[in-house]
Amino acid sequence: MALILKNARYLNEMNGTWTAKQDDILIEGNTIKEIGRLEHLYSDHEVWDVKNFLIMPGLINGHQHTPMSLLRCYSDDLPLMDWLNKKMLPAEMKMTSEDRYWGAMLSMAEMIKSGTTAYADMYIDMDTIAKAVQETGIRASLARGMIAMDSNYSDRIEESRQLVERWHGSAEGRITAMVAPHSPYMCPPDFLSDAVKLAKELDVPLHTHLAETSDERVMIQERHGMSPVQYLQAAGFFEDTRVVLAHGVHFTEEDLSILESVKGGIIHNPVSNAKLGCGTSNVVELKKRGLNVGLGTDGPGSASTLDMFMEMKAAAWMQKLLHEDASALSAHEVLTMATQNCAEILGIGRETGSIEPGKKADLLFLNMNQPHLLPAHHDASLLVYAAAGQDVDSVMIDGKIVMKNRELLTMDEEKVMYEAKQSAENLLKRL
């Protein structure tokens, strides 16, 4: 099917600056075919006049745990290790496959409704989550989160292998896969090395949590006599493999020297890090060192919201406060983090992250005719500092409209909310 977006006012990045242009956009199948004045093609194609919208590339959530939506605001106001070990892990152990399905569906509904078109997931029971991805039409990079507190871990390695072999490149190419040892503090050396070998063998990225808290630094130093970054380096983590490093809050100068040449980058999670009291990643310094920095929400069990517009605000605000400099991390830089940078880190930069011929049609249609978005002096600033997920009117992923006029078209929103609520209530009864 071919579709022309007529009178499209669209936002793209060029040389570090996001600017709006007005043109027609021809979409053939799942791909942006041509951009320009296309009146001569109107009679041959379906035409959608989109003059009332601002169109931008879909947002990309670089780090997520979708089933944790069932535990939103279940365990708040606790430090990370207490939050994780005393509340979240015991609850997650009681989840059924059906619970995880409805939790994932709820997260995907929230993400699409707030403008996320692609995301990275790390969890267990990934076949169930992949099924939800297939049904909803979202783009996803999936990984089986692997924890190994003893030497009996071959089943987790095998599950990761099967995930990649079964799902990488599936759902019309919308699903890619990664290998995900959970974190330095939950992965002993032999297991970590085996996970790295698997990723290299299968030629897929590695996804892990890294340097999230100061406690993690102390823990790894006491166990192994090195920093978390050095610990990953010793396992070959940064050798010829794309890496998706979630958080990246607590780095030493030596750590940064090691990371400067990595393929991939760091996914900054400002809301989750602030809410758990983990600290603030020095994004300005990471960028100065040449590191690619993307943006993510972390799971809804910690961040509470999956609205990437909130994440963009928090990222900019916190860098300005950290550096006491209003120019630190501009709106233009934050928009790039949430689109192109995330796409490149996840290894899907050829597919998505910008609006240009040859890229997949992953687009947001924003209703800018609202009191809080007027006047429109600078579009990039409006999107980062004033807009919210609720301002997204319609969403296209892989050339298909998955939400129009705030109505989800690939899932029954009322049913998803009802079933997720039931799953959450039943889960709490099992604790």
Side-chain angles (χ1 to χ4, degrees), residues 299-337:
S302 58
S304 301
T305 176
L306 301 178
D307 185 347
M308 285 287 287
F309 285 91
M310 174 61 76
E311 215 69 43
M312 288 193 289
K313 289 177 180 59
W317 292 341
M318 290 166 70
Q319 292 305 299
K320 296 173 192 307
L321 287 171
L322 181 66
H323 294 276
E324 298 183 8
D325 178 2
S327 68
L329 205 64
S330 69
H332 297 272
E333 292 175 292
V334 172
L335 277 174
T336 303
M337 287 170 60

Side-chain angles (χ1 to χ4, degrees), residues 38-173:
L38 305 175
E39 294 95 336
H40 59 290
L41 298 177
Y42 287 175
S43 60
D44 299 325
H45 298 87
E46 181 181 350
V47 177
W48 181 16
D49 193 334
V50 293
K51 63 183 178 182
N52 294 323
F53 300 115
L54 176 64
I55 302 173
M56 67 173 289
L59 298 172
I60 302 173
N61 186 340
H63 179 68
Q64 235 273 54
H65 312 287
T66 51
M68 289 176 70
S69 63
L70 300 186
L71 297 169
R72 190 195 317 271
C73 296
Y74 163 71
S75 173
D76 287 338
D77 306 322
L78 292 173
L80 174 65
M81 291 303 174
D82 287 345
W83 170 86
L84 181 64
N85 294 316
K86 295 181 180 180
K87 299 287 285 188
M88 302 306 289
L89 286 178
E92 289 176 301
M93 292 285 287
K94 298 290 186 179
M95 278 189 187
T96 66
S97 184
E98 184 176 12
D99 293 335
R100 289 185 284 271
Y101 172 78
W102 289 116
M105 289 290 285
L106 185 66
S107 282
M108 292 173 201
E110 182 182 356
M111 285 192 289
I112 291 172
K113 293 201 77 170
S114 55
T116 292
T117 57
Y119 83 104
D121 210 339
M122 180 199 293
Y123 216 69
I124 62 172
D125 191 13
M126 294 308 296
D127 286 344
T128 295
I129 295 174
K131 177 185 175 186
V133 171
Q134 274 189 318
E135 293 172 3
T136 60
I138 201 167
R139 192 179 301 280
S141 299
L142 305 180
R144 200 285 191 200
M146 298 186 292
I147 294 173
M149 304 311 289
D150 54 42
S151 60
N152 184 22
Y153 54 73
S154 59
D155 58 334
R156 274 137 284 175
I157 293 290
E158 183 58 28
E159 285 179 33
S160 288
R161 178 186 296 278
Q162 290 179 10
L163 171 68
V164 175
E165 292 176 349
R166 186 176 297 128
W167 291 104
H168 190 61
S170 66
E172 298 82 42

Side-chain angles (χ1 to χ4, degrees), residues 258-415:
I258 293 170
L259 294 172
E260 281 179 348
S261 59
V262 300
K263 181 181 179 182
I266 293 168
I267 300 296
H268 179 42
N269 301 267
V271 172
S272 176
N273 291 157
K275 190 160 171 274
L276 289 168
C278 297
T280 302
S281 178
N282 190 341
V283 174
V284 171
E285 179 61 24
L286 296 177
K287 287 167 60 65
K288 282 182 180 178
R289 302 296 289 259
L291 285 161
N292 198 3
V293 184
L295 202 60
T297 60
D298 206 358
S302 58
S304 301
T305 176
L306 301 178
D307 185 347
M308 285 287 287
F309 285 91
M310 174 61 76
E311 215 69 43
M312 288 193 289
K313 289 177 180 59
W317 292 341
M318 290 166 70
Q319 292 305 299
K320 296 173 192 307
L321 287 171
L322 181 66
H323 294 276
E324 298 183 8
D325 178 2
S327 68
L329 205 64
S330 69
H332 297 272
E333 292 175 292
V334 172
L335 277 174
T336 303
M337 287 170 60
T339 52
Q340 293 178 30
N341 286 9
C342 268
E344 291 167 7
I345 292 169
L346 297 181
I348 56 174
R350 292 182 179 179
E351 305 289 311
T352 189
S354 59
I355 301 175
E356 57 186 296
K359 289 289 183 78
K360 304 303 182 190
D362 293 355
L363 306 173
L364 306 187
F365 301 78
L366 292 110
N367 175 13
M368 304 298 284
N369 188 32
Q370 302 185 75
H372 67 288
L373 296 177
L374 293 171
H377 296 301
H378 300 288
D379 292 312
S381 291
L382 274 175
L383 292 177
V384 172
Y385 299 128
Q390 291 87 343
D391 299 321
V392 179
D393 178 272
S394 301
V395 175
M396 177 180 287
I397 304 175
D398 210 42
K400 297 177 182 177
I401 298 171
V402 298
M403 182 175 78
K404 191 166 187 179
N405 302 325
R406 298 293 297 165
E407 179 185 356
L408 293 173
L409 303 181
T410 58
M411 66 182 97
D412 184 334
E413 185 177 353
E414 290 298 323
K415 180 176 175 61

